């Protein structure tokens, strides 16, 4: 992206990859130039994940006490995603504390957040934290984010920028009038 990283430039950018006023459930959606551009980028990211895989290897080496889960949403969304489980909260346990980093392929930007999940019987509760994160997540989030910035040269977007509405677009299952810049840059489900 050659233009400055502003909310306005990001809004212009997402309109290059999502057709305005056309639902992705409409037959003509996949024939739009916007969809073709987005699909080409996603396919290229799937075909050549060399940088992403090298990043994951480095995360595993530098944070060996954590579990690393690479979520393959890049096939459907414009971002790579990794979930880092904090020590003492093993995968499958009734309680998880995790940090999530998502790296966009449309612009040199990323987001980071944390989840605290509790599974009791048949019910689950998930609390999601946006930066600034609670103290117990911070050292892991800082290390993960630093590694991401070193690998991809990205910038973290502020929550007020992420929440900017993009009402003329439909992304995933998020309908017209509900889409935000975050949905366009990272997918409508930040797992």
């Amino acid at each position: 992206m050659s233009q400055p990283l502003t909310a306005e430039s990001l809004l212009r950018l997402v309109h290059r990859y999502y057709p305005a006023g056309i639902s992705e459930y409409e037959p003509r959606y996949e024939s739009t130039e916007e969809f073709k551009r987005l699909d080409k980028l996603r396919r290229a990211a799937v075909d050549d994940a060399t940088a992403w895989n090298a990043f994951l290897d480095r995360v595993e080496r530098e944070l060996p006490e954590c579990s690393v889960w690479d979520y393959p949403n890049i096939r459907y969304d414009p971002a790579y995603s990794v979930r880092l489980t904090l020590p003492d909260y093993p995968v499958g346990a009734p309680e998880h504390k995790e940090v999530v980093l998502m790296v966009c392929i449309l612009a040199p930007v990323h987001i980071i957040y944390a989840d605290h999940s509790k599974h009791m019987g048949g019910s689950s509760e998930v609390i999601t934290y946006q930066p600034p994160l609670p103290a117990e997540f911070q050292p892991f989030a800082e290390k993960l984010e630093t590694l991401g910035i070193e690998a991809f040269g990205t910038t973290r977007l502020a929550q007020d920028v992420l929440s900017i509405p993009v009402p003329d677009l439909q992304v995933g299952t998020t309908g017209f009038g509900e889409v935000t810049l975050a949905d366009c840059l990272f997918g409508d489900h930040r797992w």
Side-chain angles (χ1 to χ4, degrees), residues 28-146:
R28 63 189 173 128
Y29 182 84
E30 291 188 8
S31 65
T32 66
E33 290 304 312
E34 294 89 350
F35 173 80
K36 289 176 185 176
R37 282 198 262 320
L38 178 58
D39 190 53
K40 183 178 178 180
L41 278 180
R42 287 190 310 223
R43 287 176 187 269
V46 169
D47 291 345
D48 184 9
T50 306
W52 181 251
N53 291 332
F55 165 71
L56 294 175
D57 288 344
R58 186 168 178 207
V59 171
E60 288 178 349
R61 278 193 317 274
E62 296 202 23
L63 292 159
E65 69 278 22
C66 299
S67 296
V68 177
W69 182 30
D70 171 26
Y71 187 71
N73 64 319
I74 193 66
R75 297 179 190 286
Y76 313 103
D77 294 321
Y80 289 107
S81 300
V82 63
R83 186 173 282 268
L84 186 72
T85 303
L86 274 58
D88 302 323
Y89 296 95
V91 174
E95 187 174 3
H96 305 93
K97 292 188 178 182
E98 301 165 314
V99 175
V100 178
L101 177 74
M102 297 181 79
V103 177
C104 182
I105 62 170
L106 304 180
V109 296
H110 69 270
I111 57 173
I112 194 157
Y113 60 93
D115 280 343
H116 181 183
S117 305
K118 295 179 185 177
H119 307 284
M120 299 158 282
S123 67
S124 295
E125 174 188 4
V126 179
I127 302 168
T128 299
Y129 301 100
Q130 302 299 329
L133 302 179
E136 65 187 312
F137 294 98
Q138 287 180 6
F140 302 99
E142 287 171 7
K143 182 65 175 178
L144 183 61
E145 186 172 34
T146 297

Side-chain angles (χ1 to χ4, degrees), residues 167-189:
D168 60 338
L169 301 183
Q170 184 259 329
V171 176
T173 59
T174 304
F176 294 105
E178 299 173 1
V179 171
T180 65
L181 198 50
D183 298 320
C184 300
L185 294 171
F186 299 100
D188 68 323
H189 179 69

